[in-house]
Amino acid sequence: MEGELKRNFHVFCWCMKLAWDMSKKALIGWITVCSLVALLPMLSLLWQKDIISTISEYLLTGTGSFADVTGAILVLGAILVLIGLSNRINTEFMFLAVYDYYYIGLSERFMDLIQKIEWKDLNRKEIQDEYRYVRYRFGELTNLMANTFTAITQIVSITSMVLLALTYSTVIFAVTSAYLIFVLLINQKLTGKRTYSYVQDREFVRRTEYFENIVMQPGVAKELRIFKNADRMLREWESAYEPIYSRDKKIAVWRNLISFFCSVGYYILIVVLLVYAVYEVKAGTIKVDVFLTLYGMAQSMSSVIQRFSNTFHHIKRNLFDMGRMKYFMETAPVSEEKEKTEEVEADCPIVFEAKDLCFSYDDKREVLHHLNFQIHQGETIALVGLNGSGKSTLVKLLVELYQPTQGELLFKGKSYKTYQRGKINQSIGMFFQDFALFHASLRENVGYGDLKNIENREKITEALRKGGGMKLLERLPEGME
């Protein structure tokens, strides 16, 4: 447990630093708003107490008038309106409010990191597995921050009510604090029972989805009918789904247990407060207005604490996923970019040159073995060979997707190592047989290859001309748009 708490603390600090770097104003602003909103329930209790006190005094003595409480009632009404509006500032609302800062911000940082990882390293299984897991978790930072803001609201609200109890009676403060500690301990103890192995769960879900999706493929569905294997496929799916069902059932049981113990603790608190308050009212130590305020405080606190239980659970899950993100971003094999100032020569007779070029994916078996060649400007070269003979690998080396294991590559007379990353790619166009078309205009589809010129119609027209796309352009009613 200590190791988990320490790990979560470090991950949380790392995430807060990310959030601070992405937007200081958003972080400070939302913490301030949530803290102020959290004080509204306590303020409403204080104003209710003053109103009840004034009315009680009038009923007992007959002194005073409605004008004495008019202002307080109006203020209370305004506070209740603010509470109603603040209830819309829930976790879902805050997720949308901070989405642009944290989701997009984390996506940009992640993609900047990926650009610094060599393709060969990115294809290694251990890195690929982590990459596939964290690439779909960009929303976890947004979830964590939204849940953190919610937790801040709940913590400030609970703290303000405990301090309110202290102003009336040390006994009430002690009872209230004991209830709070009891609920937090129950949540800490039982929340651990609600967690599970996310890595193991991923495998269960993957296997279940495999059987769900495969039966929807026409060829497989046909075979199932012909060979009457539907029952066997159903059994396979049930076997894969059973761990997920058992896990969800177990989590539901512990969730209900938490709710049950919190409810029992709440009713015990109410009974203790009622008995003590009645005794104090009878003794003349406290008045009815204080009694009703304490009762309202107990109700509000119980509601907030139960919501905090769910928030606490969500934060733990967010921290797990962000921990994986932190590990990947800190341990990924990043290639340090050195300061390079070499520019591509505008005109050089030898475009590509390989000297004793070797390449291996696993550092054991070479795919390319001591290649030496030159490709001159204006030449048309065809690489012919069997599947797996290294054609695509060589092309990827030429466009810097891979780095040579041995030997040297030169582009327009200068070693690849002397160019800044991406500099050579700006002079090379490449497409594979598995092309992609975007749901956008022809101009944008062509312009995506050079974003800084996506609005330059002359350059795009020139690219279409060189690529043999002018006939296509002439057939389109709206041209490149």
Side-chain angles (χ1 to χ4, degrees):
M1 180 62 70
E2 182 180 353
E4 182 186 1
L5 289 174
K6 186 176 180 180
R7 170 190 169 278
N8 285 339
F9 175 76
H10 288 306
V11 174
F12 182 77
C13 291
W14 180 76
C15 293
M16 292 301 290
K17 185 178 183 305
L18 276 180
W20 177 262
D21 292 340
M22 290 174 185
S23 176
K24 299 177 179 61
K25 291 182 179 179
L27 187 61
I28 295 173
W30 276 109
I31 290 177
T32 303
V33 169
C34 291
S35 299
L36 294 175
V37 165
L39 296 175
L40 292 176
M42 184 194 69
L43 292 176
S44 69
L45 289 172
L46 290 175
W47 284 103
Q48 287 180 51
K49 174 184 173 298
D50 290 342
I51 293 170
I52 294 172
S53 176
T54 303
I55 294 175
S56 298
E57 187 69 22
Y58 173 76
L59 293 175
L60 290 174
T61 64
T63 59
S65 65
F66 180 73
D68 296 335
V69 294
T70 301
I73 291 174
L74 291 175
V75 173
L76 176 61
I79 294 174
L80 293 177
V81 169
L82 290 175
I83 290 176
L85 293 174
S86 67
N87 287 337
R88 296 180 177 273
I89 307 178
N90 52 25
T91 306
E92 291 77 12
F93 175 87
M94 282 188 282
F95 179 91
L96 295 174
V98 299
Y99 178 90
D100 288 345
Y101 298 113
Y102 304 131
Y103 185 96
I104 297 177
L106 183 59
S107 302
E108 290 176 346
R109 292 195 174 214
F110 185 81
M111 294 314 298
D112 287 342
L113 174 72
I114 294 299
Q115 295 298 319
K116 298 176 183 178
I117 302 176
E118 299 294 344
W119 192 290
K120 176 183 173 182
D121 291 326
L122 195 58
N123 282 331
R124 283 161 46 192
K125 184 181 184 303
E126 62 272 19
I127 296 178
Q128 188 68 220
D129 287 345
E130 283 297 311
Y131 168 71
R132 286 176 178 171
Y133 183 84
V134 300
R135 66 179 293 194
Y136 298 111
R137 299 297 188 279
F138 298 146
E140 287 306 315
L141 179 60
T142 311
N143 281 325
L144 175 62
M145 297 312 300
N147 284 315
T148 298
F149 295 145
T150 301
I152 289 173
T153 303
Q154 294 161 348
I155 291 171
V156 172
S157 182
I158 292 169
T159 303
S160 65
M161 292 183 191
V162 171
L163 293 177
L164 179 63
L166 180 61
T167 62
Y168 294 128
S169 168
T170 54
V171 174
I172 294 174
F173 170 75
V175 171
T176 305
S177 300
Y179 165 67
L180 176 61
I181 293 171
F182 167 76
V183 172
L184 292 178
L185 288 176
I186 287 292
N187 275 277
Q188 174 62 27
K189 187 71 176 177
L190 298 186
T191 298
K193 302 291 186 180
R194 292 167 56 182
T195 59
Y196 52 89
S197 171
Y198 295 93
V199 177
Q200 189 179 36
D201 176 71
R202 180 183 61 183
E203 297 302 321
F204 292 148
V205 172
R206 181 184 297 174
R207 189 161 177 258
T208 304
E209 290 178 346
Y210 168 77
F211 289 111
E212 288 176 354
N213 295 330
I214 195 173
V215 296
M216 298 181 187
Q217 298 177 14
V220 176
K222 184 177 180 180
E223 289 184 4
L224 289 176
R225 292 183 181 182
I226 293 174
F227 297 108
K228 299 181 179 179
N229 281 336
D231 290 339
R232 178 175 177 274
M233 189 64 70
L234 181 60
R235 287 194 302 271
E236 292 286 352
W237 177 83
E238 290 174 344
S239 174
Y241 184 70
E242 175 59 31
I244 299 175
Y245 172 76
S246 299
R247 179 212 69 198
D248 290 344
K249 182 179 179 182
K250 186 183 297 185
I251 291 175
V253 169
W254 287 112
R255 182 183 293 118
N256 289 328
L257 280 175
I258 291 175
S259 178
F260 170 76
F261 284 120
C262 288
S263 298
V264 170
Y266 166 68
Y267 289 119
I268 292 175
L269 171 68
I270 290 295
V271 169
V272 172
L273 286 179
L274 286 175
V275 171
Y276 178 77
V278 168
Y279 174 80
E280 292 295 316
V281 169
K282 185 177 180 180
T285 308
I286 64 175
K287 297 181 180 180
V288 176
D289 58 336
V290 176
F291 168 75
L292 293 176
T293 301
L294 292 174
Y295 180 76
M297 179 200 69
Q299 283 187 314
S300 298
M301 182 180 292
S302 175
S303 175
V304 174
I305 288 176
Q306 290 192 34
R307 293 199 301 272
F308 179 74
S309 168
N310 289 326
T311 305
F312 180 70
H313 173 67
H314 290 315
I315 287 177
K316 287 188 69 175
R317 182 161 187 168
N318 300 148
L319 288 174
F320 176 87
D321 284 329
M322 287 306 299
R324 295 282 292 271
M325 179 71 74
K326 177 177 181 289
Y327 174 79
F328 181 83
M329 296 183 75
E330 290 179 347
T331 61
V334 174
S335 298
E336 293 296 330
E337 184 65 36
K338 298 179 181 179
E339 193 68 30
K340 301 170 186 177
T341 58
E342 287 287 357
E343 295 293 330
V344 177
E345 294 289 344
D347 189 17
C348 181
I350 302 175
V351 181
F352 294 106
E353 184 174 1
K355 295 182 178 180
D356 202 32
L357 180 66
C358 299
F359 180 79
S360 171
Y361 285 101
D362 55 9
D363 298 325
K364 295 178 182 178
R365 176 176 170 271
E366 285 188 339
V367 179
L368 301 176
H369 183 67
H370 300 289
L371 291 182
N372 292 277
F373 63 83
Q374 291 181 344
I375 299 177
H376 294 78
Q377 187 171 345
E379 281 189 303
T380 300
I381 303 295
L383 300 177
V384 182
L386 299 174
N387 288 339
S389 60
K391 303 185 300 297
S392 296
T393 300
L394 177 57
V395 172
K396 290 175 181 176
L397 280 162
L398 293 178
V399 295
E400 286 193 294
L401 292 180
Y402 294 151
Q403 298 296 321
T405 307
Q406 183 181 324
E408 186 178 24
L409 272 173
L410 290 84
F411 181 70
K412 295 196 173 183
K414 299 175 184 177
S415 173
Y416 275 48
K417 296 178 181 178
T418 63
Y419 291 107
Q420 192 172 10
R421 182 186 294 273
K423 200 71 175 178
I424 295 175
N425 290 341
Q426 294 176 5
S427 301
I428 300 173
M430 179 183 68
F431 67 91
F432 292 95
Q433 59 195 31
D434 296 324
F435 63 90
L437 287 177
F438 300 98
H439 293 282
S441 66
L442 175 62
R443 174 183 59 80
E444 290 168 315
N445 268 277
V446 176
Y448 286 147
D450 186 8
L451 288 174
K452 65 179 180 295
N453 287 309
I454 197 169
E455 300 293 339
N456 191 325
R457 299 175 69 88
E458 291 183 2
K459 284 200 171 187
I460 291 175
T461 302
E462 180 65 11
L464 285 167
R465 186 188 63 77
K466 288 183 176 181
M470 292 306 292
K471 290 184 178 180
L472 170 64
L473 180 62
E474 293 168 359
R475 291 201 305 268
L476 298 176
E478 296 183 22
M480 65 174 65
E481 297 301 329

